[in-house]
Amino acid sequence: MRFFAATLALTATAASAFSPSVGVNTRPAFASRALSALNMAKSQDELKKEVGYKSVDDYVKSGMVVGLGTGSTAYFAVERLGQLLKDGTLEDIVAIPTSIRTKEQAEELGIPLVTLDTHSKLDVAIDGADEVDPELNLVKGGGGALLREKMVEVCADKFIVIVDESKLCDGLGPGFPVPVEITPFCHEHTLRTVAALPSCKGCKPVLRMGSSSSNVNDGDEIAVTDNGNYIVDLHFEEPIKDAPKMAEEIKNTVGVVDHGLFCGMTTAVIIAGSDGISVKE
């Protein structure tokens, strides 16, 4: 009997070594990392929502013509505009979308849409950015809508940029590649020509593959924009010394449609950070 009891005790002790203990974190390390990443993602989405909503609340008034940007941050500005139109807070608004994705979202929300063909002057345009430097120059176009974004936003009296603090940088380039939209005709020649420009010295040009809405290679086919063009992403290891000069040189290259450097266009940047929301003008 004593032998049987001892055996039971030994079995219980061995089993306890594999059993969860009270007060001990038994979640696998990979699960903890995944949960942490999920929380960070949710937090970033909340920041994007805050600046997206604030941009509409502070800068859009009834009767305006509004430019609607493209991307995960601009999504919330479009959402907010739809809400305020639906509840009657805003009236007589027409909007110009900068991509097919934004057009579809706006239509679902019942936002009246027009184009630059009928409304060449906008009161305000709201969009996100991939990088913002201290002079409020931007890199945009990670989502592939850079041409339509620039065409719309350059026509606005006010261009409001909405970002979280991770998009702020001391110099454009190293943190996010500069996209350049080029014609499909002789695209390899145009890619080499852009990379050889004096202002682009040291860059690594990469033809975007797969989806045009991501600068991460996710397919075997060349990415095609909403306008039927290709995108070359210019990767830099050092900060761009003169962004306006680079913008001019790239734009003047035959075969280039436009680029993702938005220089001298920004009215204000609404920034969401760990300490709250701030505005830089």
Side-chain angles (χ1 to χ4, degrees), residues 56-267:
V56 176
D57 293 345
D58 290 359
Y59 289 95
V60 178
K61 310 299 180 186
S62 293
M64 282 187 169
V65 181
V66 182
L68 303 179
T70 296
S72 59
T73 308
Y75 172 91
F76 290 107
V78 179
E79 180 179 82
R80 183 59 169 169
L81 182 60
Q83 289 177 355
L84 297 183
L85 282 170
K86 185 176 181 179
D87 68 19
T89 301
L90 292 176
E91 298 177 334
D92 301 321
I93 294 284
V94 293
I96 302 178
T98 56
S99 68
I100 293 175
R101 300 192 304 279
T102 299
K103 177 177 180 291
E104 291 173 346
Q105 182 193 4
E107 288 174 339
E108 290 176 0
L109 295 171
I111 300 173
L113 299 179
V114 293
T115 71
L116 290 176
D117 288 338
T118 58
H119 294 71
S120 294
K121 181 178 175 58
L122 286 72
D123 296 289
V124 64
I126 300 171
D127 205 353
D130 299 305
E131 275 194 321
V132 182
D133 76 5
E135 285 72 46
L136 306 188
N137 296 316
L138 316 173
V139 170
K140 289 176 50 55
L146 59 103
L147 174 60
R148 297 190 186 191
E149 287 173 341
K150 188 174 288 186
M151 288 181 67
V152 171
E153 290 153 8
V154 76
C155 295
D157 289 339
K158 294 182 178 181
F159 177 32
I160 309 305
V161 179
I162 49 178
V163 297
D164 65 77
E165 61 186 357
S166 69
K167 303 301 176 66
L168 304 181
C169 65
D170 294 328
L172 303 178
F176 201 92
V178 177
V180 180
E181 188 160 345
I182 65 175
T183 61
F185 177 72
C186 295
H187 64 277
E188 293 183 359
H189 159 76
T190 304
L191 181 153
R192 291 193 300 270
T193 302
V194 170
L197 292 172
S199 61
C200 295
K201 183 179 180 180
C203 80
K204 177 184 178 183
V206 178
L207 185 64
R208 191 173 293 191
M209 305 294 288
S211 170
S212 65
S213 62
S214 172
N215 62 6
V216 177
N217 188 332
D218 60 0
D220 298 326
E221 300 293 328
I222 298 175
V224 179
T225 69
D226 287 349
N227 316 295
N229 297 315
Y230 296 167
I231 292 179
V232 176
D233 291 300
L234 306 180
H235 295 254
F236 292 87
E237 293 185 357
E238 300 293 331
I240 296 169
K241 295 180 180 179
D242 190 340
K245 178 64 174 178
M246 180 183 291
E248 180 183 4
E249 287 191 359
I250 295 176
K251 181 68 174 180
N252 288 337
T253 302
V254 177
V256 169
V257 180
D258 218 318
H259 53 75
L261 290 169
F262 285 51
C263 299
M265 293 175 55
T266 307
T267 303

